[in-house]
Amino acid sequence: MIFAAPLVTGQLVQRYKRFLADVILDDGSPITSSVPNTGSMLGLTDPGIRVWLSLSDGAKRKYPHTLQMVEVQGTMVGINTGLPNRIAEEAILSGLLPSLSGYAELRREQKYGLNSRIDILLRDPSRPSAYVEVKNVHFSRRPGLAEFPDSPTARGAKHLDELGNMVESGHRGVMLYVIQRGDCDRLKICGDLDPVYAAAFERAERRGVEAFAVKCHITPNGIAAISTMPIID
């Protein structure tokens, strides 16, 4: 995934109301940026950290700047939760995930389950369809270890149960975690911050839901999945 235009840089002043952040750009200009992330962004919003933002030329946008990345402990971390679906699609089409490669058709945002939409639906007449739910991961408390989720997510637990239903209906249910930071080599489900999600993950595994995690290479030019990583207990 390549950014359409060069990113601009600055320092974070504060994030507030979930969707907004005040930033001082490197040229000294104070701006308010939109934040495309509804999560807690735990550990990623300390005042003074370096940030990267995209700039839209849309005249109707109230906030032309959009926060895309932050730097923590020398590592660039992607925070835009709108990007992992694109990153996941590129990973599938590139063959990074062999068991998801070679499907005849890839569809985005398809209705399924109980008032839900699956991020990616893979279809092929020669094998079961694969329902792929994509999750963004950028939380880390220990060196090398990414964790999900960073706050309770009832919606995430619901998705795991619905993927289990797809498996029991004869399809494949797949949870794909996209780690938008390059300093981690394994993923852990974060049961201490969300025991309900952790229980749903274990339940989904018993029902046959597959889970994969991919590591991303992150630069100011773009973000790409480069390898898989294990999901540990």
Side-chain angles (χ1 to χ4, degrees), residues 20-105:
L20 297 175
D22 289 337
V23 174
I24 302 296
L25 299 180
D26 284 353
D27 65 5
S29 303
I31 60 101
T32 296
S33 166
S34 63
V35 179
N37 190 316
T38 61
S40 70
M41 289 179 59
L42 192 60
L44 302 177
T45 59
D46 293 340
I49 63 173
R50 190 160 180 77
V51 298
W52 284 259
L53 311 99
S54 56
L55 179 60
S56 171
D57 57 5
K60 295 183 179 181
R61 287 194 57 172
K62 184 176 181 181
Y63 303 108
H65 292 86
T66 300
L67 186 63
Q68 298 289 349
M69 305 175 187
V70 303
E71 183 178 341
V72 291
Q73 299 176 345
T75 296
M76 297 182 70
V77 181
I79 64 89
N80 188 340
T81 58
L83 299 183
N85 283 15
R86 292 169 58 187
I87 298 169
E89 182 176 328
E90 290 176 359
I92 291 169
L93 294 177
S94 72
L96 184 62
L97 299 158
S99 73
L100 297 179
S101 297
Y103 277 84
E105 183 180 12

Side-chain angles (χ1 to χ4, degrees), residues 185-201:
D185 56 19
R186 59 201 187 281
L187 171 69
K188 184 178 185 294
I189 301 303
C190 192
D192 62 320
L193 294 184
D194 192 350
V196 173
Y197 184 87
F201 183 84

Side-chain angles (χ1 to χ4, degrees), residues 79-137:
I79 64 89
N80 188 340
T81 58
L83 299 183
N85 283 15
R86 292 169 58 187
I87 298 169
E89 182 176 328
E90 290 176 359
I92 291 169
L93 294 177
S94 72
L96 184 62
L97 299 158
S99 73
L100 297 179
S101 297
Y103 277 84
E105 183 180 12
L106 184 153
R107 293 188 179 186
R108 309 179 186 95
E109 297 289 335
Q110 297 296 298
K111 291 182 179 180
Y112 87 117
L114 185 62
N115 299 319
S116 293
R117 287 182 178 271
I118 195 68
D119 293 317
I120 297 173
L121 174 59
L122 302 173
R123 301 179 65 181
D124 193 288
S126 65
R127 51 179 164 164
S129 297
Y131 288 76
V132 184
E133 181 70 28
V134 180
K135 295 298 182 188
N136 176 68
V137 182

Side-chain angles (χ1 to χ4, degrees), residues 107-182:
R107 293 188 179 186
R108 309 179 186 95
E109 297 289 335
Q110 297 296 298
K111 291 182 179 180
Y112 87 117
L114 185 62
N115 299 319
S116 293
R117 287 182 178 271
I118 195 68
D119 293 317
I120 297 173
L121 174 59
L122 302 173
R123 301 179 65 181
D124 193 288
S126 65
R127 51 179 164 164
S129 297
Y131 288 76
V132 184
E133 181 70 28
V134 180
K135 295 298 182 188
N136 176 68
V137 182
H138 48 45
F139 179 48
S140 177
R141 291 179 287 186
R142 296 192 303 179
L145 180 65
E147 297 183 79
F148 182 89
D150 64 357
S151 60
T153 170
R155 185 168 175 263
K158 174 191 172 188
H159 289 158
L160 286 166
D161 287 335
E162 291 187 328
L163 288 176
N165 293 339
M166 292 297 102
V167 173
E168 293 177 357
S169 297
H171 306 292
R172 295 177 66 189
V174 180
M175 184 61 71
L176 178 54
Y177 299 94
V178 175
I179 290 77
Q180 282 204 80
R181 55 188 303 155

